[in-house]
Amino acid sequence: MHVRQFLIGATLFGLGLSQSNCTKSWIDLVKHTLSPGTSIDCTGENQRWSDYAAPTPGAVVTVGDESDVAKIIAAAGKTNTPFLIQSGANGWADTFTLNSRGIIIDISNLKTITFNADKTQVTFQAGVTNEDLINAAWDNNARVSASTCNCVSVLGATLGGGLSRTQGVYGLNIDQLISLSVVDAKGTTSTVTPQGNPELWWALTGAGANFGVVTSATYKSHPVPQANNTAWTGLVLFDESKIEEIVAAVDALTLEPEMQMDLYFTASPVDGLPTVIVLPFYLGTEEEGREKFASILNIGPTLDGTAVIPYNTWNAAGDPFCTAGGRKPSYTVGLKTMEPAAWRNVWNEYTAFFNEYEEANLTTILTECYSTAATAVSVQDNGTSSYPFRDIKCYAIAIPWYTSPSIDSDALQFGQNVRSYLVDSAGTSSPSSYVLNPTVPFPRTKPDLSTNSAYSYINFAHGDESLSQIYGSSLPKLQKLKKKYDPTRRLNQWFPLS
């Protein structure tokens, strides 16, 4: 335990609070009601995945019991203390406004997971990460839909839509939800279901952070014996001269329900130099997987690390991305199409930034591509969730990764430039009038996305996008519901609707 982190009882009854960092009034309202396991750090120190534009709280309250969340939110409301809920601490957007007047309510210790008898449902708390849930499912001879990064909170990712390697079979993570335990902006707890409150359910499943704090959920689970719970996947490395062929093959490839894939521009695990990596995924045998991805494999990799591996290791290739700290101001674009020439320009941007700054050698362009077989239903026709981009095939993310704030300007420009190239070939909007010259050294002119309709997945977005680029056709209804369910705008830290 940090030397400045105190149990609530000790903090209030003898050790005192630093008034410069902690606002004592909201604590006074709840000091006799919180569980012994709930603690406060009055230094405001808070480790996140990215230090860039991170919230700067006056205190961090680490919750020891799920019921304490409602009590803390209610007290914060009565004293007008701003708050932010934190679980995996992976959100990188620059929409946070929390400063030393506010508190972070850290729910990462809430990790209870319970499967029903036939393993068709699982109930879990908000601190559960993808890795936690996957391991629990594996131990219970089950499979659940989980996102591709082990350290990310399941509910944090899910309430923004929730992409999954198995979404072609099971649907998005939001499609797995059965019920939600929700604390509203006033500190009132209720159980929300699609039958009991379809309006709030619709808002929560796609824009959840604006409408409530979900402290636990019940989720679909699928019984699968461990022996059958496997997939073919692994890293496949290519020379950069193959970029155009690879991109053309990915663009032409129809991802069947059992298929998913990632494309990386990143440092090679072999020599640390910029390289191209494809991570194919097939829910089946190696023979079937190689056949399905033959158009890419036949291009001729320099290394093929694929194998059939168990469910509880599917995400292992992404574990290096879970390293906390550093500055990672990322940018994203949703892609229906991929154009080889645009991706050559992206490669040139990537290598220029990589080579310019030695400390930025973890910088990565990550593109995740998914089957839309079970998800391509419009918001209007489906009506059960507000997530608007169910027909997007690929999600590209430019992740500059470095430590020195002095690089921020060039890192932001790098990310914006990558985004601008991809927007024009995304198949989702009319081309912008902005043209980049990759031979011009950093910094380059800032692109303007204000007039196009690029799609940005909320969990990957930077924060400079328009709300319509984040919420799509759901925006007008969401803004109307925001006024109903959070009229005082207490839940306003993550791509706020108001």
Side-chain angles (χ1 to χ4, degrees):
M1 181 177 290
H2 193 284
V3 293
R4 291 292 303 279
Q5 187 175 17
F6 315 111
L7 289 177
I8 274 206
T11 303
L12 293 171
F13 302 114
L15 296 181
L17 292 170
S18 169
Q19 290 298 313
S20 62
N21 289 334
C22 286
T23 303
K24 188 173 183 294
S25 56
W26 64 267
I27 301 175
D28 287 337
L29 294 174
V30 292
K31 63 185 180 183
H32 298 299
T33 63
L34 297 180
S35 67
T38 293
S39 61
I40 298 176
D41 180 350
C42 288
T43 68
E45 293 181 7
N46 183 48
Q47 179 71 71
R48 293 186 63 85
W49 182 75
S50 175
D51 297 330
Y52 178 83
T56 55
V60 177
V61 185
T62 301
V63 176
D65 188 275
E66 184 175 345
S67 64
D68 286 348
V69 175
K71 300 169 187 175
I72 296 166
I73 290 175
K78 291 176 182 177
T79 57
N80 199 30
T81 302
F83 68 89
L84 170 68
I85 295 292
Q86 176 174 290
S87 182
N90 291 287
W92 61 63
D94 67 0
T95 63
F96 299 117
T97 59
L98 195 78
N99 57 28
S100 59
R101 287 190 56 251
I103 59 172
I104 280 180
I105 304 173
D106 185 345
I107 53 176
S108 61
N109 286 346
L110 302 180
K111 288 185 175 292
T112 300
I113 303 172
T114 307
F115 285 81
N116 67 352
D118 61 4
K119 315 304 181 186
T120 58
Q121 294 183 13
V122 56
T123 299
F124 58 92
Q125 292 182 308
V128 169
T129 64
N130 289 311
E131 182 175 36
D132 295 332
L133 190 58
I134 289 168
N135 286 338
W138 173 259
D139 291 341
N140 279 272
N141 287 291
R143 179 190 297 154
V144 294
S145 179
S147 298
T148 60
C149 193
N150 274 330
C151 56
V152 170
S153 156
V154 177
L155 285 175
T158 296
L159 296 176
L163 306 174
S164 169
R165 298 193 195 281
T166 57
Q167 71 180 50
V169 177
Y170 303 126
L172 295 165
N173 286 4
I174 50 174
D175 301 326
Q176 314 310 306
L177 292 169
I178 297 170
S179 67
L180 299 170
S181 180
V182 181
V183 180
D184 67 16
K186 297 179 180 179
T188 301
T189 301
S190 63
T191 299
V192 180
T193 66
Q195 300 80 23
N197 194 334
E199 182 180 73
L200 182 56
W201 181 270
W202 181 88
L204 285 165
T205 52
N210 271 271
F211 289 92
V213 175
V214 178
T215 57
S216 60
T218 299
Y219 204 73
K220 296 176 185 176
S221 173
H222 309 276
V224 181
Q226 288 185 356
N228 299 334
N229 206 354
T230 60
W232 172 79
T233 188
L235 299 180
V236 183
L237 277 63
F238 292 87
D239 185 80
E240 58 89 9
S241 64
K242 306 292 188 180
I243 287 174
E244 286 81 0
E245 292 179 77
I246 294 169
V247 171
V250 174
D251 184 54
L253 184 63
T254 298
L255 293 172
E256 298 176 12
E258 298 81 11
M259 298 170 69
Q260 189 269 333
M261 65 165 291
D262 297 338
L263 171 65
Y264 299 85
F265 294 171
T266 192
S268 169
V270 177
D271 58 17
L273 298 176
T275 195
V276 180
I277 299 177
V278 173
L279 181 76
F281 175 90
Y282 184 74
L283 197 60
T285 67
E286 177 175 0
E287 181 181 7
E288 293 168 331
R290 289 190 174 278
E291 178 184 351
K292 299 298 183 182
F293 285 97
S295 61
I296 295 174
L297 297 177
N298 289 343
I299 292 171
T302 59
L303 185 151
D304 185 336
T306 57
V308 173
I309 62 174
Y311 167 65
N312 61 342
T313 65
W314 289 356
N315 285 352
D319 283 347
F321 285 95
C322 283
T323 303
R327 303 177 77 78
K328 305 158 189 160
S330 305
Y331 291 82
T332 192
V333 181
L335 308 172
K336 291 184 179 181
T337 59
M338 296 175 66
E339 182 180 277
W343 284 86
R344 173 56 65 182
N345 288 334
V346 170
W347 172 262
N348 292 340
E349 289 284 342
Y350 163 66
T351 55
F353 185 73
F354 184 101
N355 292 329
E356 180 75 15
Y357 297 106
E358 184 177 353
E359 69 174 79
N361 60 4
L362 295 176
T363 294
T364 297
I365 308 293
L366 167 61
T367 305
E368 301 179 357
C369 298
Y370 297 88
S371 169
T372 60
T375 64
V377 180
S378 72
V379 175
Q380 291 82 3
D381 291 343
N382 182 263
T384 58
S385 71
S386 56
Y387 178 69
F389 305 135
R390 287 176 170 268
D391 60 343
I392 293 296
K393 176 181 177 180
C394 298
Y395 302 78
I397 320 164
I399 310 172
W401 190 332
Y402 55 99
T403 57
S404 302
S406 61
I407 298 177
D408 282 346
S409 178
D410 284 0
L412 296 175
Q413 196 62 67
F414 158 70
Q416 291 164 357
N417 291 349
V418 169
R419 180 175 63 181
S420 186
Y421 279 125
L422 297 182
V423 162
D424 284 354
S425 59
T428 59
S429 64
S430 300
S432 71
S433 59
Y434 189 81
V435 179
L436 292 172
N437 182 352
T439 66
V440 175
F442 288 102
R444 301 176 187 153
T445 307
K446 182 178 180 180
D448 178 10
L449 293 186
S450 61
T451 59
N452 69 50
S453 56
Y455 295 169
S456 297
Y457 178 43
I458 190 170
N459 291 340
F460 297 163
H462 180 79
D464 62 340
E465 302 86 351
S466 69
L467 288 179
S468 62
Q469 290 167 343
I470 299 295
Y471 296 110
S473 60
S474 296
L475 179 60
K477 182 177 178 181
L478 285 170
Q479 289 178 319
K480 181 179 179 181
L481 293 177
K482 178 71 169 178
K483 294 177 181 178
K484 175 179 179 180
Y485 288 101
D486 184 24
T488 59
R489 299 181 293 178
R490 296 286 293 158
L491 303 166
N492 242 33
Q493 292 289 323
W494 188 247
F495 294 91
L497 286 161
S498 55

